[in-house]
């Protein structure tokens, strides 16, 4: 009778161990699936947006430097090169806007405002470069200070805000409960399994002593 009771304890302990292992595996798989979704959301959202925003930022700076070069240079070849650089950078910026709009996961009005600033800046940029090509540099500088620079500052502010919101969204996803809790769940499941294993071994030891 005593052996039967110990045998039942042993069977129950191993059954509990098996159940815990199965349950732990199931929870871990579900967590991994959810975490994979979060990672995909992060990649196809904030990660790609940040990359496009950096491209916009670098080309924005390059475009403004090219516009300045049209003013300070007198050589027609250098002016033409600067104009071409400015237009190429402006086109690259425009190419990135639809991509940002598609993947940006916050307020789309931020993208609208950025695009509006860039569209407003385009004819101003052409006016400055036209004045520069005519060697009307003082007029070009005056026009740029009155029109281009305030619009540039507004566009840069919108771009910075967009990057900031994208970073916050990325941090939210990376620090989400599914990703952060996987290691804790795995450790907890391992602890449960270890405890059940100790109980099973103890029950087996009792059986052998009897």
């Amino acid at each position: 009778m005593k052996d039967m009771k110990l045998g039942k304890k042993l069977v129950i302990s191993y059954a509990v161990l098996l159940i815990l292992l199965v349950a732990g595996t199931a929870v871990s798989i579900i967590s991994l699936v959810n975490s994979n979704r979060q990672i995909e959301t992060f990649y196809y959202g904030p990660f790609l947006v940040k990359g496009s925003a950096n491209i916009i930022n670098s080309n924005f700076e390059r475009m403004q430097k090219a516009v300045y070069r049209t003013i300070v240079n007198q050589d027609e070849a250098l002016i033409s090169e600067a104009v071409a650089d400015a237009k190429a950078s402006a086109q690259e910026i425009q190419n990135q806007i639809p991509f940002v709009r598609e993947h940006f996961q916050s307020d789309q009005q931020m993208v609208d405002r950025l695009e509006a600033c860039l569209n407003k800046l385009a004819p101003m940029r052409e006016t400055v470069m036209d004045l520069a090509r005519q060697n009307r540099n003082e007029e070009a500088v005056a026009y740029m200070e009155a029109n281009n620079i305030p619009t540039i500052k507004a566009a840069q502010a919108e771009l910075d805000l967009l990057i900031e919101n994208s970073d916050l969204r990325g941090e939210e996803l990376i620090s989400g409960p599914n990703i952060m809790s996987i290691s804790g769940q795995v450790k907890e499941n391992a602890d449960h399994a270890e405890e059940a294993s100790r109980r099973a071994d103890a029950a087996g030891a009792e059986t052998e002593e009897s």
Side-chain angles (χ1 to χ4, degrees):
M1 182 65 68
K2 186 176 180 181
D3 289 343
M4 290 180 63
K5 290 181 179 180
L6 291 175
K8 286 182 180 179
K9 289 182 180 179
L10 186 61
V11 170
I12 291 172
S13 297
Y14 278 112
V16 170
L17 174 61
L18 181 61
I19 291 170
L20 287 173
L21 288 174
V22 172
T25 301
V27 170
S28 297
I29 290 173
I30 293 172
S31 296
L32 286 171
V33 169
N34 290 335
S35 297
N36 183 61
R37 290 174 182 169
Q38 283 182 285
I39 292 170
E40 286 183 356
T41 302
F42 169 76
Y43 176 78
Y44 289 107
F47 182 80
L48 293 181
V49 169
K50 184 67 176 289
S52 288
N54 287 335
I55 292 173
I56 291 173
N57 204 23
S58 61
N59 278 278
F60 197 63
E61 293 178 3
R62 180 186 173 197
M63 179 178 67
Q64 299 315 314
K65 289 178 180 178
V67 172
Y68 278 113
R69 292 208 318 270
T70 63
I71 297 174
V72 300
N73 282 298
Q74 301 294 326
D75 187 277
E76 291 186 5
L78 294 176
I79 294 175
S80 296
E81 181 182 348
V83 169
D85 287 344
K87 290 183 177 181
S89 296
Q91 184 59 54
E92 183 59 34
I93 292 171
Q94 290 299 324
N95 292 342
Q96 295 298 321
I97 293 296
F99 190 82
V100 171
R101 186 181 298 281
E102 178 183 354
H103 295 281
F104 189 57
Q105 297 174 353
S106 296
D107 188 0
Q108 285 289 326
Q109 289 184 356
M110 296 181 192
V111 186
D112 294 337
R113 293 194 298 267
L114 174 60
E115 187 173 24
C117 288
L118 294 172
N119 290 338
K120 182 180 179 181
L121 182 62
M124 297 177 182
R125 183 178 62 252
E126 292 296 328
T127 298
V128 170
M129 291 191 297
D130 285 341
L131 290 171
R133 278 192 289 255
Q134 300 171 40
N135 288 324
R136 297 161 61 184
N137 294 337
E138 291 184 2
E139 292 180 55
V141 171
Y143 181 91
M144 184 169 62
E145 289 179 349
N147 299 279
N148 295 48
I149 291 178
T151 307
I152 289 169
K153 290 180 178 179
Q156 188 65 57
E158 293 296 340
L159 181 59
D160 292 343
L161 183 61
L162 187 147
I163 292 173
E164 180 182 352
N165 275 265
S166 186
D167 287 343
L168 289 174
R169 176 58 176 158
E171 291 175 5
E172 178 184 332
L173 289 169
I174 290 298
S175 61
N178 286 321
I179 292 178
M180 297 299 291
S181 64
I182 285 179
S183 59
Q185 289 175 348
V186 171
K187 184 179 184 302
E188 183 179 351
N189 294 334
D191 291 342
H192 287 316
E194 184 178 352
E195 177 63 25
S197 179
R198 282 199 299 267
R199 290 177 182 177
D201 291 341
E206 289 181 13
T207 302
E208 290 177 0
E209 290 176 359
S210 302

